[in-house]
Amino acid sequence: MAAYLQWRRFVFFDRETVKEPPGPDGAGGKPFALPPGIAVCDSGRGSLVFGDILRGAGLWGLCGARRGRGWRIWFLPRSLQLSSFQAYKLRVTHLYQLKQHSILVSVGEDEEGINPLVKVWNLEKRDGGNPLCTRIFPAIPGNKPTVVSCLTVHENLNFMAIGFADGSVVLTKGDITRDRHSKTQILHEGSYPVTGLAFRQSGKTTHLFVVTTENIQSYMLSVKDYPHLELDTHGCGLRCSSLSDPSQDLQFIVAGNECVYLYQPDERGPCFAFEGQKLIVHWYRGYLIIVSKDRKTSPKSEFAGNEAQNSDKQVLNIYDLCNKFIAYSSVFDDIVDVLAEWGSLYVLTRDGKIHVLQEKDTQTKLEACKSMLFRKNLFEMAINLAKSHHLDSDGLSEIFRQYGDHLYNKGNHDGAIQQYIRTIGKLEPSYVIRKFLDAQRIHNLTAYLQTLHLQSLANADHTTLLLNCYTKLKDSSKLEEFIKTSDSEVRFDVETAIKVLRQAGYYSHAVYLAEKHEHHEWYLKIQLEDIKNYQEALHYIGKLPFEQAESNMKRYGKILMHHAPNETTELLKILCTDYRPSGDSEGHGMLEGKKANSEEFIPVFANNSRELKAFLEHMTEVQADSPQGVYDTLLELRLQNWAHEQDEQIKEKLHNEALTLLKSGRFKTVFDKALVLCQMHSFKDGVLYLYEQGKLFQQIMHYHMQNEQYKKVIEVCELYGDQEACLWEQALGYFARKEEDCKEYVAAVLKHIENKNLMPPLLVVQTLAHNSTATLSVIKDYLVNKLQKQSRQIEQDEERIQKYREETTRIRQEIEELKASPKIFQKTKCSICTSALELPSVHFLCGHSFHQHCFESYSESDSECPTCMPENRKVMDMIRAQEQKRDLHDQFQHQLKCSNDGFSVVADYFGRGVFNKLTLITDLPSGKAVATLEAGLQRELLIHTKRST
């Protein structure tokens, strides 16, 4: 129960007296006055409504109407132009103007005695210039003549309740504007006068509050039989009850002389100790308006408390029940009623004056009261006042800030931080944070920062500060609560939080955040660098999508390989063959696996040759089209292992593996690289295999020469000599330079040179002349055989010459005969078909004869014998070839003699392919002086050049 005297008083309303509108001459400004005698009034639909004005000259002068009988209802619009119509013949006792409809309900009398009539007026329709009366019915409950004490109508026009002085309540249900569609019945009977009625609509439920001088009851009209409940055992006087608006939950207000009570349909609510005899109670825009007798005058003893002498002073108080203050208070002379219309309050006094109370705008009210409230440190009241008047968030925030500053200066840091929290979103956070950076106030700062994050207004610096607060307080529970929010509730910068937690040593929390929000790099960095949990890091990478798993293995592969080589190798095998995330159970068999480039992961295996070999061998087995770098690295690795192995059996196995890899055909495009690797590791069989594949037969032979493998030199010549004949010549020169006894090998070479006629005997002798161990017996057989062959060749040439001479003599004789004597053709058969010759026939001087048709069929030229033509052409070709060779030789010799640069002439003829192939020696045999070897090679090159020339 709040004490009336303790409530703060404000002046939220401006009081003015309504003045007459200016006349045609511009005169005006006098107070507007109604004639005395107003009995009832109401307001709504843009007018103030009055009833039962006493007859008088002033009245008629005001309305300009003709004197007549009857009592009228008057309307006063905002323009202050009165209008009226006759409603009853005797008097008007009650008026009720609906707010949502242009319907006016009145109670009055047309006859003497107690016979009240209810009339329903439609103000939008006219009947002879007056509002249309749509319904008239008597208001007596049953047959009891009694006085109407109060009236109320539901805004939906389906309920109307009339209260009587004998304690009865009549309820009209249905369309109140028509007799045919409504039903009237007695709802309530009692022994105490009914002083107030009010309908309450909540959803589809309708209640009717009934208050008498001694009790208060609630009827539920939306249920059959209208059940009721007695709410209290005391009542109030006439016009001392009202219904609040939704701001007070549509409570029924009853004003007694000691207290004001609020009621719900099923219970009594709060009460307020407002002392004094209450005369009028209204509700207006969240305010409770009470007109009471001035306590300075002696109270009356009438039961209703609604009549007073003209000299009585009355106090009008406007209460704000939510914020518990008096918004306005003023003394008036004998108030008739208080009406609300056009956004203002109109106070009618008995002297006919109308006073208007205009509520100040929100900003003016707040400015007027804030200074006083702040001076008295009544911040809570200022806040409530601002909220009730719907002050914007900026204005509220400023009040919260000042309140927080006030509490902070008093040392109430807990209370201050609560007020500062209410400024979040408007006040710059740094203003508050600077005040609470002291270590003793860290819990207050934590509360503020928490709320800042909950409202998603924190930046990275705020997150850092909050997490540091948690770590300083060692409040693990709050820390976990902060970071373990659902994805939709994350209100902080996750990466910043991870950094702070890691720096503070809260690795498990940092890892949780990184994993939850898929910050893979931070997760792996913490696991590997701080926690050292390499197995978990590998497991985590295996769950990542392909692209992320690939990039993280490239970044952290070396660290993982160093600490968990086997597991890392297995993961890389999967990643480079058929990778599917380990956690993707649903799509594991549906989606096609992806594979990384295995060559890019070779650097990961630094200092882990065993795992590298296993990885590369796996890749070559399951993926034959692996990148070339995989095969190159595997070859190098196998050659290294072979070169450093001491066990002969294992070395032989490694030898076979390396050679098998070379023979796999994967090194055709990188022949030079493979050859260099084999040479670097002295892998003899690999070098020879690659020489053979590259058709580098001279290099094969020179390799054996360097190693002084004489038999191998001979074998190479035998294997590849047919493809490259100069091998035998190089072999002879090689053996000729050997000072040791190589007669056996020289003889074998000479035999092949002799059979193939590869070198002139003179060059053979000159070549072997430099070998001190090569005696004449070595080349004796070669020379004898060569000379014998040449002797036989000479004999054959002489025989051929003799034959050609004889043939030439014979041909010359035939030519002479042809020139000097006739030629007799005695052939009887055709030389082509061998049939007997018949005319016409063709005869040639060579002695061949042909049928004309045979000649024409087989001959290619009319001047040549078809039989002799092939042989003749061979002879002619030989003659032309000899002439060309003679011309070319002569031309070459002539140019060589006449040219200043003979070398360019030789080079030009080399370019034309005139000379035989020139053999170049690229590898030098070992074990000899460099100068001697160079001299020998130069000599051999010169011999070949001379011979070709």
Side-chain angles (χ1 to χ4, degrees):
M1 181 176 292
Y4 163 74
L5 295 177
Q6 295 178 352
W7 284 33
R8 299 289 170 182
R9 293 176 179 268
F10 301 100
V11 182
F12 286 172
F13 288 81
D14 293 324
R15 173 178 172 176
E16 293 181 1
T17 301
V18 178
K19 297 180 180 180
E20 293 181 358
D25 57 354
K30 296 181 180 181
F32 182 86
L34 290 174
I38 295 175
V40 291
C41 56
D42 201 356
S43 64
R45 308 300 291 179
S47 296
L48 304 182
V49 187
F50 310 114
D52 203 2
I53 301 179
L54 295 177
R55 295 192 183 115
L59 173 62
W60 300 113
L62 180 64
C63 66
R66 181 175 176 272
R67 181 182 180 90
R69 298 179 58 83
W71 300 88
R72 310 178 72 85
I73 295 177
W74 299 80
F75 295 94
L76 181 64
R78 198 164 192 177
S79 62
L80 302 182
Q81 299 296 322
L82 272 172
S83 62
S84 68
F85 70 94
Q86 182 177 340
Y88 295 90
K89 296 179 180 179
L90 290 182
R91 64 182 60 87
V92 180
T93 59
H94 296 83
L95 291 174
Y96 192 94
Q97 174 66 59
L98 277 79
K99 305 300 184 288
Q100 300 178 13
H101 303 275
S102 295
I103 300 295
L104 175 66
V105 180
S106 63
V107 179
E109 297 176 1
D110 283 338
E111 300 175 356
E112 294 291 343
I114 303 176
N115 189 20
L117 291 177
V118 178
K119 295 185 180 182
V120 180
W121 308 90
N122 189 333
L123 303 180
E124 293 181 345
K125 297 182 179 180
R126 294 291 170 177
D127 182 12
N130 297 328
L132 176 63
C133 183
T134 62
R135 183 180 182 187
I136 303 175
F137 64 94
I140 299 176
N143 296 320
K144 299 177 183 180
T146 182
V147 178
V148 175
S149 59
C150 55
L151 167 70
T152 187
V153 182
H154 199 294
E155 287 292 334
N156 64 11
L157 301 179
N158 287 324
F159 292 102
M160 180 170 60
I162 304 173
F164 296 89
D166 67 350
S168 302
V169 176
V170 174
L171 176 67
T172 300
K173 183 178 181 182
D175 189 351
I176 65 169
T177 63
R178 298 182 182 181
D179 292 324
R180 187 180 305 175
H181 298 93
S182 63
K183 179 181 179 182
T184 301
Q185 67 182 86
I186 299 176
L187 178 68
H188 171 80
E189 292 182 331
S191 56
Y192 303 105
V194 178
T195 57
L197 298 170
F199 286 107
R200 182 184 189 273
Q201 186 70 40
S202 178
K204 296 183 178 181
T205 303
T206 305
H207 288 89
L208 174 63
F209 290 101
V210 178
V211 58
T212 68
T213 56
E214 298 297 333
N215 59 29
I216 304 169
Q217 298 190 50
S218 169
Y219 286 84
M220 183 180 292
L221 304 183
S222 54
V223 178
K224 190 177 180 180
D225 298 333
Y226 307 138
H228 69 280
L229 176 67
E230 185 174 29
L231 300 176
D232 216 333
T233 58
H234 59 79
C236 66
L238 285 173
R239 299 194 298 173
C240 291
S241 63
S242 183
L243 188 72
S244 69
D245 59 19
S247 66
Q248 282 291 336
D249 199 18
L250 297 174
Q251 296 185 90
F252 187 55
I253 302 171
V254 177
N257 289 336
E258 301 296 332
C259 295
V260 174
Y261 300 90
L262 278 66
Y263 296 92
Q264 293 283 357
D266 54 354
E267 62 180 353
R268 191 177 83 174
C271 66
F272 300 89
F274 301 147
E275 297 179 356
Q277 184 180 351
K278 313 301 187 301
L279 302 177
I280 300 173
V281 173
H282 286 295
W283 186 269
Y284 169 73
R285 291 187 176 181
Y287 293 111
L288 175 62
I289 302 170
I290 296 179
V291 177
S292 58
K293 294 184 70 67
D294 191 350
R295 286 178 292 177
K296 296 179 181 179
T297 62
S298 58
K300 301 292 181 179
S301 60
E302 299 148 353
F303 85 92
N306 66 321
E307 294 185 5
Q309 298 178 358
N310 293 340
S311 61
D312 286 347
K313 295 289 186 181
Q314 296 173 357
V315 179
L316 184 146
N317 288 321
I318 301 178
Y319 298 94
D320 187 329
L321 300 184
C322 292
N323 299 310
K324 294 182 174 57
F325 64 83
I326 301 174
Y328 183 78
S329 180
S330 182
V331 177
F332 291 86
D333 292 330
D334 201 359
I335 297 175
V336 176
D337 205 345
V338 180
L339 304 177
E341 192 64 26
W342 310 307
S344 302
L345 289 174
Y346 292 86
V347 181
L348 279 65
T349 56
R350 192 68 63 181
D351 58 4
K353 293 181 180 180
I354 303 176
H355 304 273
V356 59
L357 300 181
Q358 181 68 44
E359 187 177 9
K360 298 178 181 180
D361 63 85
T362 302
Q363 192 63 34
T364 303
K365 288 189 293 185
L366 292 174
E367 292 298 330
C369 71
K370 276 199 302 184
S371 59
M372 182 190 75
L373 293 175
F374 290 174
R375 284 198 307 269
K376 297 182 179 181
N377 299 325
L378 298 176
F379 290 97
E380 287 292 346
M381 180 174 288
I383 292 170
N384 294 334
L385 178 63
K387 287 183 177 179
S388 64
H389 286 78
H390 307 290
L391 182 65
D392 60 18
S393 56
D394 291 333
L396 279 172
S397 177
E398 178 60 21
I399 298 175
F400 294 143
R401 183 195 64 79
Q402 294 185 35
Y403 191 15
D405 291 344
H406 168 72
L407 295 175
Y408 182 85
N409 293 331
K410 289 178 61 178
N412 185 1
H413 299 124
D414 293 339
I417 202 65
Q418 294 304 317
Q419 298 307 316
Y420 287 135
I421 285 174
R422 300 167 81 175
T423 67
I424 290 176
K426 299 297 180 182
L427 182 63
E428 176 61 36
S430 59
Y431 177 86
V432 180
I433 293 173
R434 284 196 299 267
K435 291 178 177 290
F436 293 89
L437 287 177
D438 192 282
Q440 296 178 352
R441 302 168 191 167
I442 192 171
H443 63 283
N444 298 127
L445 180 58
T446 302
Y448 179 81
L449 292 171
Q450 280 178 334
T451 310
L452 199 64
H453 282 81
L454 288 175
Q455 297 186 19
S456 301
L457 296 174
N459 57 30
D461 293 333
H462 299 149
T463 301
T464 302
L465 188 57
L466 177 58
L467 292 175
N468 283 328
C469 289
Y470 283 141
T471 56
K472 294 292 183 182
L473 294 172
K474 299 189 182 301
D475 193 346
S476 299
S477 60
K478 283 288 185 181
L479 180 59
E480 291 185 3
E481 181 182 352
F482 176 73
I483 66 175
K484 293 184 178 181
T485 54
S486 63
D487 293 338
S488 60
E489 296 179 353
V490 176
R491 300 182 177 92
F492 56 88
D493 185 78
V494 176
E495 186 171 358
T496 300
I498 294 173
K499 292 179 181 177
V500 175
L501 291 172
R502 184 191 183 198
Q503 186 176 3
Y506 285 78
Y507 301 127
S508 60
H509 297 78
V511 165
Y512 171 82
L513 271 182
E515 181 176 10
K516 180 179 179 180
H517 299 284
E518 298 183 353
H519 286 258
H520 310 308
E521 294 183 9
W522 281 108
Y523 180 91
L524 295 172
K525 188 177 294 186
I526 297 171
Q527 287 283 17
L528 296 174
E529 298 178 7
D530 301 319
I531 304 178
K532 310 293 184 183
N533 192 342
Y534 306 103
Q535 299 291 344
E536 186 61 32
L538 277 171
H539 178 69
Y540 184 81
I541 294 176
K543 297 188 296 183
L544 296 178
F546 171 76
E547 291 78 9
Q548 296 173 358
E550 181 184 23
S551 62
N552 282 291
M553 281 305 295
K554 290 179 180 178
R555 180 177 293 115
Y556 302 109
K558 290 184 179 180
I559 299 176
L560 294 169
M561 182 61 66
H562 179 71
H563 295 90
N566 295 331
E567 294 81 358
T568 306
T569 303
E570 292 302 317
L571 179 57
L572 285 175
K573 289 179 180 179
I574 298 173
L575 186 63
C576 296
T577 52
D578 186 21
Y579 179 78
R580 294 181 176 87
S582 59
D584 187 11
S585 58
E586 295 182 359
H588 187 74
M590 300 172 58
L591 298 176
E592 182 180 356
K594 297 181 179 180
K595 56 185 179 181
N597 186 349
S598 52
E599 184 177 3
E600 296 177 355
F601 293 96
I602 292 176
V604 171
F605 293 89
N607 303 321
N608 293 82
S609 58
R610 181 174 60 86
E611 286 75 16
L612 175 59
K613 181 181 178 183
F615 172 72
L616 296 176
E617 289 178 345
H618 173 79
M619 293 307 303
T620 57
E621 291 174 3
V622 303
Q623 189 175 325
D625 59 343
S626 294
Q628 184 61 45
V630 172
Y631 288 92
D632 295 344
T633 308
L634 180 58
L635 175 62
E636 182 178 3
L637 196 61
R638 286 184 175 179
L639 291 176
Q640 287 178 356
N641 294 338
W642 172 82
H644 295 90
E645 184 58 50
Q646 300 297 326
D647 190 306
E648 291 299 328
Q649 293 183 351
I650 299 177
K651 192 176 185 70
E652 180 64 23
K653 179 181 178 182
L654 295 174
H655 174 276
N656 295 334
E657 290 178 354
L659 194 59
T660 302
L661 182 60
L662 277 174
K663 293 180 178 180
S664 65
R666 295 292 307 184
F667 298 93
K668 294 180 180 179
T669 58
V670 289
F671 173 83
D672 295 340
K673 186 175 183 179
L675 181 59
V676 169
L677 289 174
C678 292
Q679 290 175 340
M680 286 174 56
H681 296 87
S682 301
F683 189 56
K684 168 187 171 183
D685 292 346
V687 171
L688 294 177
Y689 172 77
L690 291 174
Y691 281 161
E692 181 180 359
Q693 294 299 308
K695 299 187 181 302
L696 302 176
F697 306 127
Q698 295 185 42
Q699 279 78 358
I700 296 176
M701 187 175 67
H702 294 159
Y703 179 86
H704 293 308
M705 289 178 179
Q706 290 175 357
N707 294 281
E708 297 185 352
Q709 297 175 338
Y710 303 148
K711 291 183 178 180
K712 291 292 183 180
V713 172
I714 299 300
E715 290 178 2
V716 170
C717 293
E718 291 175 349
L719 288 174
Y720 311 116
D722 295 337
Q723 301 180 47
E724 199 164 347
C726 63
L727 294 177
W728 290 104
E729 301 171 14
Q730 294 178 22
L732 180 62
Y734 167 75
F735 289 121
R737 291 188 293 273
K738 291 293 182 181
E739 295 300 328
E740 56 201 67
D741 189 4
C742 297
K743 295 181 181 180
E744 177 184 355
Y745 305 108
V746 171
V749 173
L750 288 176
K751 181 179 179 181
H752 190 85
I753 291 175
E754 178 187 356
N755 295 335
K756 298 293 184 178
N757 194 24
L758 299 178
M759 294 177 64
L762 181 59
L763 287 178
V764 173
V765 174
Q766 292 176 350
T767 301
L768 293 176
H770 298 280
N771 191 331
S772 59
T773 61
T775 59
L776 184 61
S777 61
V778 176
I779 60 173
K780 174 183 177 182
D781 295 336
Y782 167 76
L783 293 176
V784 170
N785 294 334
K786 197 66 176 177
L787 290 174
Q788 289 177 350
K789 287 183 179 180
Q790 290 182 351
S791 298
R792 288 193 296 269
Q793 184 66 37
I794 292 172
E795 293 176 357
Q796 293 176 359
D797 292 342
E798 289 177 348
E799 292 176 356
R800 192 176 294 117
I801 291 170
Q802 183 63 34
K803 179 179 177 182
Y804 287 158
R805 286 176 178 174
E806 294 175 355
E807 183 70 21
T808 302
T809 302
R810 183 182 61 78
I811 292 174
R812 286 176 178 173
Q813 290 177 357
E814 289 181 359
I815 293 173
E816 290 297 330
E817 291 178 358
L818 290 174
K819 289 180 178 181
S821 60
K823 177 66 175 178
I824 300 173
F825 300 103
Q826 296 180 344
K827 288 282 187 178
T828 60
K829 292 184 179 181
C830 176
S831 300
I832 293 177
C833 64
T834 66
S835 299
L837 283 175
E838 296 178 355
L839 296 177
S841 59
V842 179
H843 303 276
F844 285 91
L845 295 177
C846 61
H848 296 110
S849 300
F850 307 94
H851 292 112
Q852 185 176 358
H853 62 272
C854 291
F855 175 76
E856 292 176 351
S857 300
Y858 290 95
S859 120
E860 294 181 4
S861 174
D862 293 342
S863 59
E864 293 187 44
C865 173
T867 303
C868 299
M869 185 174 60
E871 188 66 25
N872 292 339
R873 286 188 176 178
K874 289 181 181 179
V875 174
M876 294 303 296
D877 289 341
M878 292 174 62
I879 294 172
R880 282 194 293 269
Q882 290 175 356
E883 291 177 351
Q884 288 178 357
K885 286 184 178 180
R886 182 179 68 250
D887 294 341
L888 184 62
H889 176 73
D890 295 343
Q891 183 181 1
F892 173 71
Q893 293 294 338
H894 176 73
Q895 290 182 0
L896 191 62
K897 291 178 180 178
C898 299
S899 175
N900 294 327
D901 186 3
F903 181 78
S904 62
V905 175
V906 175
D908 180 53
Y909 276 85
F910 266 116
R912 299 181 189 179
V914 174
F915 304 108
N916 290 338
K917 183 179 179 182
L918 176 64
T919 302
L920 296 177
I921 306 301
T922 57
D923 291 340
L924 302 178
S926 60
K928 301 294 181 179
V930 176
T932 306
L933 293 177
E934 289 181 351
L937 291 174
Q938 290 175 0
R939 175 178 172 277
E940 186 174 2
L941 177 60
L942 182 60
I943 292 172
H944 284 286
T945 302
K946 289 181 178 180
R947 187 185 65 179
S948 299
T949 303

